[in-house]
Amino acid sequence: MRLTVLGKSPAWQDAGGACSGYLIEDGATAILLDCGNGVFGKLRQRRDYTLIDAVVISHLHADHFFDLFPYSYGLLLTPRQQPVPVAGHQGTDAPSRPRLIAPPGARRMLRSIGNSWGDGTLAESAFRLEEYATESELEVGTLRLRFATVPHYVLTHAVEVSSAQSDRRLTFGADCRPNDELVEFARGTDLLLVEATLPRPERTGVRGHLTPGEAGEHARRAGAARVVLTHISDELDAEWAREEGSRAFGSPVEIAREGETYEL
Ligand SMILES: [Zn+2]
C-alpha cells in the first residue's frame, strides 16, 4: 500500500499548495482520501482522475471536499468521457463514474452548493454517491475502509484504510480536538496520519484541533508504529512541529510534505 500526500494544508492553502487530499494505491486499486481545495490539480499530476476507484471524504468542511466540484466537471466534460467522438477522442459508452463515499449529510450539502448556481445534481451525476455510517465496513478493490467518529466542529470521521493483500493498516485522524476515540481506533496502526494544525491550543477554550505535541501524544497512546503530522501550514515552523511531536511521541515523527510518498 502506498500513500502519497497530494495536499496537507489546513483551511488555507500553502503557497502553491493544496488542502487535505491523500492518494492511496494498493496494486491496481486507488482511492483519494479527502478532496479539499487545490487537490484535483495535484491529483492530475500523479494519476488519471478517471482511474480512481473511490473518493472518500472524512467530513464536510471546505478544505476536505471543495474540489469535488472541479473533479465533477472533469468527469462530465472531458472530451474522452463523451459518448461520441470529440476532439480526436473516440467516444465511450462506459464513462468512468467513481464511487464517492461520503459522510451522512453529504448529498444534501452537495446539492445545496450545486443548486446555488442551478446545478444541484452535479456531483451525483459525476460520481456514484453513497453516504457511509460510522459502523460501515466497506471494500474498494483490495482496500478495506472503517470509520470512527472523532470530536470536531461538525460530524467527522477518522478513516482506517487497510490492504487485504498486505494486511498493512493506515489510520487517518481527520480533524479533531484532543480525544480518546482516535487513540482507540488507531491502536497498533502501522501509520497514523494525524493533524497538527495549531501552534497552541485555541485561546477561546473551544477546542477543534490538535497541536503537534498533542498529535504526538495521541500517537504514543495509540502505540502507532509510524507517525506523519499533517494539516499544518507552511506558516508554521516545520522543524519546531517535528520536535514537539517527536518529544511527545517518544520517537521521531515525520511532517507531511506535498508529493511525498510513504510505502506501507
Ligand atoms: Zn475540519
Side-chain angles (χ1 to χ4, degrees):
M1 181 162 54
R2 184 194 303 133
L3 160 70
T4 303
V5 177
L6 300 178
K8 60 80 178 170
S9 305
W12 72 105
Q13 285 114 310
D14 294 350
C19 290
S20 189
Y22 307 92
L23 176 63
I24 300 169
E25 297 166 294
D26 187 47
T29 303
I31 68 172
L32 174 62
L33 179 54
D34 275 351
C35 190
N37 31 313
V39 167
F40 183 61
K42 303 288 181 183
L43 173 63
R44 293 198 60 192
Q45 292 177 326
R46 306 298 296 221
R47 193 179 175 104
D48 182 343
Y49 62 91
T50 66
L51 300 180
I52 294 291
D53 297 291
V55 180
V56 182
I57 302 294
S58 65
H59 69 296
L60 298 171
H61 270 159
D63 54 327
H64 294 256
F65 82 98
F66 256 23
D67 260 21
L68 286 176
F69 295 101
Y71 197 161
S72 296
Y73 282 120
L75 289 169
L76 295 172
L77 299 179
T78 181
R80 64 204 166 103
Q81 291 255 86
Q82 304 311 310
V84 292
V86 179
H89 294 275
Q90 258 192 326
T92 175
D93 293 330
S96 166
R97 200 161 160 250
R99 290 168 74 182
L100 172 54
I101 299 171
R107 188 179 306 275
R108 199 167 53 105
M109 172 84 83
L110 292 167
R111 281 186 184 174
S112 156
I113 295 170
N115 266 330
S116 69
W117 64 84
D119 203 353
T121 56
L122 172 61
E124 287 167 86
S125 303
F127 294 96
R128 287 175 287 145
L129 173 62
E130 54 193 282
E131 293 186 354
Y132 60 78
T134 304
E135 60 276 13
S136 296
E137 295 192 11
L138 304 176
E139 288 184 9
V140 179
T142 56
L143 293 172
R144 299 176 298 217
L145 301 171
R146 289 199 314 131
F147 306 90
T149 54
V150 288
H152 187 46
Y153 301 112
V154 297
L155 176 67
T156 299
H157 291 85
V159 182
E160 178 187 282
V161 184
S162 58
S163 166
Q165 296 194 117
S166 66
D167 235 23
R168 302 291 281 174
R169 182 171 153 228
L170 160 74
T171 307
F172 172 51
D175 290 357
C176 59
R177 65 171 171 260
N179 67 89
D180 296 327
E181 293 89 335
L182 178 59
V183 172
E184 284 308 315
F185 186 59
R187 196 162 294 288
T189 192
D190 294 304
L191 190 153
L192 178 61
L193 182 61
V194 58
E195 73 125 296
T197 312
L198 302 173
R200 57 172 185 272
E202 295 89 339
R203 284 180 170 175
T204 57
V206 179
R207 301 298 314 270
H209 291 285
L210 303 176
T211 66
E214 290 169 339
E217 189 209 331
H218 281 64
R220 179 186 56 75
R221 289 166 58 206
R226 190 175 176 190
V227 185
V228 177
L229 304 188
T230 192
H231 208 260
I232 186 165
S233 170
D234 62 357
E235 297 186 85
L236 265 188
D237 181 347
E239 202 41 52
W240 169 82
R242 190 194 323 275
E243 283 171 15
E244 290 283 306
S246 299
R247 186 178 308 128
F249 181 49
S251 297
V253 302
E254 297 163 74
I255 307 289
R257 281 194 318 177
E258 256 181 44
E260 189 95 7
T261 289
Y262 304 81
E263 299 285 346
L264 277 101

